[in-house]
PDB file of all heavy atoms in Angstrom:
ATOM      1  N   VAL A  14     122.739 113.453  80.850  1.00 78.00           N
ATOM      2  CA  VAL A  14     122.476 112.086  81.255  1.00 78.00           C
ATOM      3  C   VAL A  14     122.799 111.134  80.126  1.00 78.00           C
ATOM      4  O   VAL A  14     122.076 111.156  79.071  1.00 78.00           O
ATOM      5  CB  VAL A  14     120.998 111.882  81.721  1.00 78.00           C
ATOM      6  CG1 VAL A  14     120.740 110.511  82.144  1.00 78.00           C
ATOM      7  CG2 VAL A  14     120.660 112.877  82.842  1.00 78.00           C
ATOM      8  N   ALA A  16     123.292 107.656  78.037  1.00 69.00           N
ATOM      9  CA  ALA A  16     122.750 106.303  77.905  1.00 69.00           C
ATOM     10  C   ALA A  16     123.864 105.293  78.095  1.00 69.00           C
ATOM     11  O   ALA A  16     125.019 105.542  77.707  1.00 69.00           O
ATOM     12  CB  ALA A  16     122.133 106.090  76.536  1.00 69.00           C
ATOM     13  N   GLY A  19     122.396  98.110  77.673  1.00 69.00           N
ATOM     14  CA  GLY A  19     121.427  97.194  78.352  1.00 69.00           C
ATOM     15  C   GLY A  19     120.570  97.877  79.356  1.00 69.00           C
ATOM     16  O   GLY A  19     119.996  98.904  79.088  1.00 69.00           O
ATOM     17  N   ILE A  22     120.819 101.781  84.172  1.00 96.00           N
ATOM     18  CA  ILE A  22     120.208 103.112  84.115  1.00 96.00           C
ATOM     19  C   ILE A  22     120.625 103.916  85.332  1.00 96.00           C
ATOM     20  O   ILE A  22     119.971 104.830  85.796  1.00 96.00           O
ATOM     21  CB  ILE A  22     118.666 103.009  84.094  1.00 96.00           C
ATOM     22  CG1 ILE A  22     118.121 102.297  85.345  1.00 96.00           C
ATOM     23  CG2 ILE A  22     118.204 102.326  82.816  1.00 96.00           C
ATOM     24  CD1 ILE A  22     116.586 102.477  85.437  1.00 96.00           C
ATOM     25  N   ARG A  48     108.234 113.517  99.604  1.00 96.00           N
ATOM     26  CA  ARG A  48     109.035 112.435 100.062  1.00 96.00           C
ATOM     27  C   ARG A  48     108.383 111.084  99.797  1.00 96.00           C
ATOM     28  O   ARG A  48     109.062 110.083  99.423  1.00 96.00           O
ATOM     29  CB  ARG A  48     109.299 112.588 101.601  1.00 96.00           C
ATOM     30  CG  ARG A  48     110.158 113.789 101.923  1.00 96.00           C
ATOM     31  CD  ARG A  48     110.479 113.858 103.403  1.00 96.00           C
ATOM     32  NE  ARG A  48     111.226 115.089 103.718  1.00 96.00           N
ATOM     33  CZ  ARG A  48     112.522 115.242 103.479  1.00 96.00           C
ATOM     34  NH1 ARG A  48     113.217 114.269 103.007  1.00 96.00           N
ATOM     35  NH2 ARG A  48     113.110 116.366 103.776  1.00 96.00           N
ATOM     36  N   GLU A  81     116.143  96.816  74.237  1.00 96.00           N
ATOM     37  CA  GLU A  81     115.618  98.193  74.144  1.00 96.00           C
ATOM     38  C   GLU A  81     114.228  98.312  74.757  1.00 96.00           C
ATOM     39  O   GLU A  81     113.932  99.299  75.393  1.00 96.00           O
ATOM     40  CB  GLU A  81     115.568  98.632  72.618  1.00 96.00           C
ATOM     41  CG  GLU A  81     116.955  98.892  72.039  1.00 96.00           C
ATOM     42  CD  GLU A  81     116.835  99.541  70.699  1.00 96.00           C
ATOM     43  OE1 GLU A  81     115.753 100.019  70.312  1.00 96.00           O
ATOM     44  OE2 GLU A  81     117.890  99.668  69.970  1.00 96.00           O
ATOM     45  N   ARG A  97     104.597 114.620  89.142  1.00 97.00           N
ATOM     46  CA  ARG A  97     104.002 114.877  90.400  1.00 97.00           C
ATOM     47  C   ARG A  97     104.721 116.034  91.139  1.00 97.00           C
ATOM     48  O   ARG A  97     104.088 116.699  91.969  1.00 97.00           O
ATOM     49  CB  ARG A  97     104.130 113.566  91.310  1.00 97.00           C
ATOM     50  CG  ARG A  97     103.179 112.454  90.896  1.00 97.00           C
ATOM     51  CD  ARG A  97     101.745 112.896  91.061  1.00 97.00           C
ATOM     52  NE  ARG A  97     100.804 111.752  91.066  1.00 97.00           N
ATOM     53  CZ  ARG A  97      99.523 111.841  90.973  1.00 97.00           C
ATOM     54  NH1 ARG A  97      98.950 113.055  90.807  1.00 97.00           N
ATOM     55  NH2 ARG A  97      98.774 110.796  91.039  1.00 97.00           N
ATOM     56  N   ASP A 109      94.581 114.982  89.949  1.00 94.00           N
ATOM     57  CA  ASP A 109      94.712 115.491  88.567  1.00 94.00           C
ATOM     58  C   ASP A 109      93.501 116.282  88.136  1.00 94.00           C
ATOM     59  O   ASP A 109      93.599 117.178  87.339  1.00 94.00           O
ATOM     60  CB  ASP A 109      94.905 114.317  87.626  1.00 94.00           C
ATOM     61  CG  ASP A 109      96.273 113.642  87.689  1.00 94.00           C
ATOM     62  OD1 ASP A 109      97.049 113.979  88.645  1.00 94.00           O
ATOM     63  OD2 ASP A 109      96.623 112.826  86.830  1.00 94.00           O
ATOM     64  N   ASN A 114      96.935 116.789  84.484  1.00 97.00           N
ATOM     65  CA  ASN A 114      97.193 115.340  84.258  1.00 97.00           C
ATOM     66  C   ASN A 114      98.680 115.094  84.461  1.00 97.00           C
ATOM     67  O   ASN A 114      99.524 115.578  83.681  1.00 97.00           O
ATOM     68  CB  ASN A 114      96.811 114.988  82.803  1.00 97.00           C
ATOM     69  CG  ASN A 114      97.040 113.510  82.460  1.00 97.00           C
ATOM     70  OD1 ASN A 114      98.079 112.938  82.803  1.00 97.00           O
ATOM     71  ND2 ASN A 114      96.096 112.931  81.804  1.00 97.00           N
ATOM     72  N   GLY A 130     117.541 112.517  76.130  1.00 95.00           N
ATOM     73  CA  GLY A 130     118.094 112.949  74.826  1.00 95.00           C
ATOM     74  C   GLY A 130     119.176 111.983  74.326  1.00 95.00           C
ATOM     75  O   GLY A 130     119.429 111.930  73.095  1.00 95.00           O
ATOM     76  N   ARG A 150      92.862 105.650  82.846  1.00 86.00           N
ATOM     77  CA  ARG A 150      91.969 104.592  83.388  1.00 86.00           C
ATOM     78  C   ARG A 150      92.093 103.324  82.537  1.00 86.00           C
ATOM     79  O   ARG A 150      92.070 102.194  83.077  1.00 86.00           O
ATOM     80  CB  ARG A 150      90.522 105.101  83.384  1.00 86.00           C
ATOM     81  CG  ARG A 150      89.541 104.116  84.045  1.00 86.00           C
ATOM     82  CD  ARG A 150      88.237 104.758  84.257  1.00 86.00           C
ATOM     83  NE  ARG A 150      87.223 103.899  84.843  1.00 86.00           N
ATOM     84  CZ  ARG A 150      86.044 104.287  85.285  1.00 86.00           C
ATOM     85  NH1 ARG A 150      85.724 105.564  85.235  1.00 86.00           N
ATOM     86  NH2 ARG A 150      85.235 103.447  85.835  1.00 86.00           N
ATOM     87  N   ASP A 169     101.317  98.304  86.113  1.00 96.00           N
ATOM     88  CA  ASP A 169     101.277  97.225  87.133  1.00 96.00           C
ATOM     89  C   ASP A 169     102.175  97.477  88.283  1.00 96.00           C
ATOM     90  O   ASP A 169     101.820  97.359  89.414  1.00 96.00           O
ATOM     91  CB  ASP A 169     101.599  95.876  86.481  1.00 96.00           C
ATOM     92  CG  ASP A 169     100.468  95.382  85.640  1.00 96.00           C
ATOM     93  OD1 ASP A 169      99.398  95.989  85.525  1.00 96.00           O
ATOM     94  OD2 ASP A 169     100.596  94.206  85.030  1.00 96.00           O
ATOM     95  N   VAL A 178     101.104 101.671  99.841  1.00 86.00           N
ATOM     96  CA  VAL A 178     101.187 103.024 100.439  1.00 86.00           C
ATOM     97  C   VAL A 178      99.810 103.412 101.031  1.00 86.00           C
ATOM     98  O   VAL A 178      99.696 103.868 102.164  1.00 86.00           O
ATOM     99  CB  VAL A 178     101.657 104.051  99.395  1.00 86.00           C
ATOM    100  CG1 VAL A 178     101.518 105.445  99.950  1.00 86.00           C
ATOM    101  CG2 VAL A 178     103.084 103.803  99.020  1.00 86.00           C
ATOM    102  N   ILE A 179      98.806 103.212 100.215  1.00 84.00           N
ATOM    103  CA  ILE A 179      97.486 103.670 100.640  1.00 84.00           C
ATOM    104  C   ILE A 179      96.969 102.781 101.769  1.00 84.00           C
ATOM    105  O   ILE A 179      96.265 103.295 102.692  1.00 84.00           O
ATOM    106  CB  ILE A 179      96.467 103.602  99.430  1.00 84.00           C
ATOM    107  CG1 ILE A 179      96.933 104.620  98.364  1.00 84.00           C
ATOM    108  CG2 ILE A 179      95.036 104.033  99.952  1.00 84.00           C
ATOM    109  CD1 ILE A 179      97.121 106.051  98.837  1.00 84.00           C
ATOM    110  N   SER A 207      77.836 102.021  94.053  1.00 95.00           N
ATOM    111  CA  SER A 207      78.186 101.947  92.633  1.00 95.00           C
ATOM    112  C   SER A 207      79.667 101.529  92.429  1.00 95.00           C
ATOM    113  O   SER A 207      79.964 100.738  91.514  1.00 95.00           O
ATOM    114  CB  SER A 207      78.013 103.311  91.968  1.00 95.00           C
ATOM    115  OG  SER A 207      78.810 104.337  92.590  1.00 95.00           O
ATOM    116  N   ASP A 222      85.051 108.313  90.599  1.00 93.00           N
ATOM    117  CA  ASP A 222      83.899 107.654  91.185  1.00 93.00           C
ATOM    118  C   ASP A 222      83.947 107.631  92.683  1.00 93.00           C
ATOM    119  O   ASP A 222      82.912 107.315  93.354  1.00 93.00           O
ATOM    120  CB  ASP A 222      83.827 106.220  90.709  1.00 93.00           C
ATOM    121  CG  ASP A 222      83.750 106.115  89.182  1.00 93.00           C
ATOM    122  OD1 ASP A 222      83.120 106.979  88.563  1.00 93.00           O
ATOM    123  OD2 ASP A 222      84.337 105.129  88.624  1.00 93.00           O
ATOM    124  N   LEU A 231      88.287 100.115  97.761  1.00 96.00           N
ATOM    125  CA  LEU A 231      87.571  99.358  96.683  1.00 96.00           C
ATOM    126  C   LEU A 231      88.197  99.587  95.316  1.00 96.00           C
ATOM    127  O   LEU A 231      88.315  98.695  94.514  1.00 96.00           O
ATOM    128  CB  LEU A 231      86.080  99.737  96.643  1.00 96.00           C
ATOM    129  CG  LEU A 231      85.366  99.306  97.867  1.00 96.00           C
ATOM    130  CD1 LEU A 231      83.893  99.948  97.899  1.00 96.00           C
ATOM    131  CD2 LEU A 231      85.194  97.783  97.938  1.00 96.00           C
ATOM    132  N   TYR A 238      91.974  92.855  88.900  1.00 90.00           N
ATOM    133  CA  TYR A 238      91.383  92.289  87.740  1.00 90.00           C
ATOM    134  C   TYR A 238      91.907  92.911  86.453  1.00 90.00           C
ATOM    135  O   TYR A 238      91.537  92.505  85.356  1.00 90.00           O
ATOM    136  CB  TYR A 238      89.809  92.511  87.762  1.00 90.00           C
ATOM    137  CG  TYR A 238      89.194  91.881  88.975  1.00 90.00           C
ATOM    138  CD1 TYR A 238      88.602  92.676  89.960  1.00 90.00           C
ATOM    139  CD2 TYR A 238      89.242  90.492  89.192  1.00 90.00           C
ATOM    140  CE1 TYR A 238      87.995  92.103  91.056  1.00 90.00           C
ATOM    141  CE2 TYR A 238      88.632  89.952  90.297  1.00 90.00           C
ATOM    142  CZ  TYR A 238      88.023  90.752  91.206  1.00 90.00           C
ATOM    143  OH  TYR A 238      87.467  90.158  92.332  1.00 90.00           O
ATOM    144  N   VAL A 269      78.028  92.210 100.627  1.00 94.00           N
ATOM    145  CA  VAL A 269      78.666  92.730  99.470  1.00 94.00           C
ATOM    146  C   VAL A 269      80.179  92.847  99.667  1.00 94.00           C
ATOM    147  O   VAL A 269      80.942  92.393  98.783  1.00 94.00           O
ATOM    148  CB  VAL A 269      78.112  94.162  99.112  1.00 94.00           C
ATOM    149  CG1 VAL A 269      78.938  94.813  98.014  1.00 94.00           C
ATOM    150  CG2 VAL A 269      76.651  94.025  98.673  1.00 94.00           C
ATOM    151  N   ASP A 271      81.979  91.315 101.818  1.00 94.00           N
ATOM    152  CA  ASP A 271      82.534  90.009 102.055  1.00 94.00           C
ATOM    153  C   ASP A 271      82.808  89.317 100.734  1.00 94.00           C
ATOM    154  O   ASP A 271      83.808  88.650 100.521  1.00 94.00           O
ATOM    155  CB  ASP A 271      81.546  89.116 102.859  1.00 94.00           C
ATOM    156  CG  ASP A 271      81.513  89.499 104.368  1.00 94.00           C
ATOM    157  OD1 ASP A 271      82.471  90.140 104.803  1.00 94.00           O
ATOM    158  OD2 ASP A 271      80.539  89.203 105.014  1.00 94.00           O
ATOM    159  N   ARG A 274      85.882  90.872  99.227  1.00 93.00           N
ATOM    160  CA  ARG A 274      87.092  90.335  99.942  1.00 93.00           C
ATOM    161  C   ARG A 274      87.471  88.957  99.371  1.00 93.00           C
ATOM    162  O   ARG A 274      88.642  88.672  99.008  1.00 93.00           O
ATOM    163  CB  ARG A 274      86.869  90.171 101.449  1.00 93.00           C
ATOM    164  CG  ARG A 274      86.850  91.424 102.258  1.00 93.00           C
ATOM    165  CD  ARG A 274      86.780  91.154 103.707  1.00 93.00           C
ATOM    166  NE  ARG A 274      86.523  92.302 104.523  1.00 93.00           N
ATOM    167  CZ  ARG A 274      85.358  92.759 104.854  1.00 93.00           C
ATOM    168  NH1 ARG A 274      84.252  92.089 104.515  1.00 93.00           N
ATOM    169  NH2 ARG A 274      85.198  93.845 105.604  1.00 93.00           N
TER     170      ARG A 274
END
Side-chain angles (χ1 to χ4, degrees):
V14 179
I22 62 168
R48 294 185 185 279
E81 288 190 12
R97 288 298 198 191
D109 286 12
N114 181 316
R150 183 169 181 172
D169 286 358
V178 170
I179 299 303
S207 60
D222 301 325
L231 291 170
Y238 301 115
V269 171
D271 286 338
R274 287 189 190 91

